[in-house]
Amino acid sequence: MAESQTDESTQTAEPSVSARPIPYRFDPDTDSAALRETYGDIEDGTETGVKATIAGRLMLRRVQGKLAFGTLQDSGGRIQLFAPSKVTPEFDDFCGLSLGDWIGVSGEVMKTRKGELSVKVESWSLLAPTRRPFPDKFHGLSDQDMRYRQRYVDLWVTPESRDVFVTRSRVMSLTRRWLESEHNFIEVETPMFHPIPGGAAARPFTTHHNALDQEFFLRIAPELYLKRLVAGGLERVFEIGRVFRNEGISTRHNPEFTMLELYQAYADYSDIMELVENLVAYLANEIRGTTKLTYDGREMDVAAPWRRASMVDLIEEATGQRVDLTMDRSALEALADRYGVEVKPEYGHGKLILEIYEKAVEPELWGPVFVTDYPVEVSPLSRQHRENPGFTERFEAVVAGRELCNAFTELVDPDDQRARFEDQVRQREAGDDEAMVVDEDYLRALEYGLPPTGGLGIGMDRLVMLLCDVPTIRDVVLFPTLRPEQTD
RNA sequence: GCCCCUGUGGCGCAGUCUGGUUAGCGCAGUGGACUUUUAAUCCAUUGGUCCUGGGUUCGAAUCCCAGCGGGGGUACCA
């Protein structure tokens, strides 16, 4: 809701200050963190003789007649400004600065008698006035909606918020470096506009290209393109990028989110499990300094190796009953019923087993654990298990009670893949609007030959949530999807 | 989709159950005092269609109905 004109004018800073000329550039030579690091230990009440130039936002102000203190916040944190009227030019204007104004300051690094490391304001310039009042200097923003909509304010007044996004950036960077340097992957970029949605079970967004007069789908996964590249001889590829799914919004779902997918020629899902546990342990060590993580008040150790357990074994653990694909359907339905699964007639044994797993096992899993060997029926892109007919070499990792990734030994046989696609089409015709459609070009790529390949998809947003111990995906997405703000 | 909670000056909150006439408090803003403060302090002060629209009532921020926004849960979601 927009404020009225009068509201803004009454809240505007002093004209004498806001009318100051704004320089075109400014040259900070350090920041608050570096100053603390270098001079944090000097004696109370001493001066260093060293001059520093810093810039940031004025967050607090304490004017005391002929002496003023300020608190400047920059990307390194906060540092005090010490401004005696005899030293600071245009002292009255300096005291008239608004909380939230951007300023640049030069002067001697010193420590006050009370022991606060400070920069003496020997010169200063206004870099940008704030024309809107900043939130409460102590309480900050409590309205979550406003934090998400006005991230440019939230980042200043909610330090944890800024920390999360800096960490997120590090996670992305570390992941890339680890894959490239330690594992010889190359990063590629594949289309976001897909003529056929594929690679996942999800409803897509649609869009339209005018010149081609062609409908496109925003990608729900890069999977099929990445495997085309492995068929093309790029043996280890990964992509970190946005995918789009037309689904509900929740604490774990944002319609656009960031996925890491990677494909490794000649590998199978066991290789991928090792890669996942090593990557997560590496990131935990780099980010948290330990593999012993706390999430939502509960602890877990993500050090490799993680437990591996097949879906049917886990079902047996939880329910005491062994399930398989040849058992009597009525017995399977009875078990499904016991756990509140809504049994639909089109469900085969495989789908029922997955549903039972999700209801009976998953809510109790904390992890880290690899849940392996999903039924073929629910895994249209995974290769048949080498020992268990009707199952696939597929796994999901559950960490902190949440699905973190999905991976498998890739299905490389074009005939089998065609049959799976056709089965998906039947499911679609039966009313499942998230079932896949046939991708003839992808089948053509398989016909040219895809070597044995292991593949992986990780939701990077959820990984960051885990590493930062935050409860909602909106806290790790800078601008989460929201209903557009009403302007009038 | 369903259920629960919520909406009061720029920000953080009280007041709502038990309706009562000038809607409070803190911060920010404005004016003043103050040369070691650090959520500075002290004095004074500006600013509010109490989300919107109906209704009940002598009287509604408060009770009722509807709508809109927000949060959480659940369903859905590999």
Side-chain angles (χ1 to χ4, degrees), chain A residues 179 182-188 226 229-230 233-239 262-267 271 275 453-454:
Chain A
L179 289 172
E182 308 287 324
H183 295 272
N184 293 316
F185 281 87
I186 62 169
E187 183 171 13
V188 295
L226 291 172
L229 295 178
V230 177
L234 303 179
E235 293 175 3
R236 295 185 177 202
V237 293
F238 76 94
E239 178 163 10
L262 66 81
Y263 293 86
Q264 178 175 342
Y266 320 126
D271 297 306
L275 187 126
T453 298

Side-chain angles (χ1 to χ4, degrees), chain A residues 197-209:
Chain A
R203 283 196 296 267
F205 289 91
T206 59
T207 188
H208 184 264
H209 188 280

Side-chain angles (χ1 to χ4, degrees), chain A residues 50 73 94 139 153 155 189 240 295 395 441 445:
Chain A
V50 176
Q73 184 170 332
F94 182 82
H139 298 97
V153 177
L155 288 168
E189 294 168 278
I240 292 178
Y295 189 82
F395 72 85
D441 178 69

Side-chain angles (χ1 to χ4, degrees), chain A residues 58-63 68-71 94-99 137:
Chain A
L58 185 69
M59 300 305 281
L60 298 171
R61 174 167 37 44
R62 300 174 289 282
V63 178
F69 300 89
T71 299
F94 182 82
C95 295
L97 287 167
S98 294
L99 300 188
K137 64 187 178 185

Side-chain angles (χ1 to χ4, degrees), chain A residues 71 87 179 271-272 346 417:
Chain A
T71 299
V87 173
L179 289 172
D271 297 306
I272 303 301
E346 63 267 28
Q417 183 66 76

Side-chain angles (χ1 to χ4, degrees), chain A residues 37-70:
Chain A
E37 171 71 24
T38 311
Y39 303 104
D41 294 332
I42 64 173
E43 291 283 309
D44 293 356
T46 60
E47 309 202 327
T48 60
V50 176
K51 195 166 176 174
T53 300
I54 54 177
R57 234 163 173 140
L58 185 69
M59 300 305 281
L60 298 171
R61 174 167 37 44
R62 300 174 289 282
V63 178
Q64 210 161 0
K66 297 280 196 289
L67 174 66
F69 300 89

Side-chain angles (χ1 to χ4, degrees), chain A residues 153-184:
Chain A
V153 177
D154 176 52
L155 288 168
W156 284 101
V157 301
T158 315
E160 311 83 57
S161 182
R162 185 194 177 96
D163 291 345
V164 164
F165 291 109
V166 170
T167 299
R168 179 182 176 122
S169 176
R170 282 190 64 213
V171 169
M172 298 299 167
S173 170
L174 288 165
T175 300
R176 285 192 164 93
R177 286 217 309 269
W178 189 80
L179 289 172
E180 289 168 346
S181 310
E182 308 287 324
H183 295 272
N184 293 316

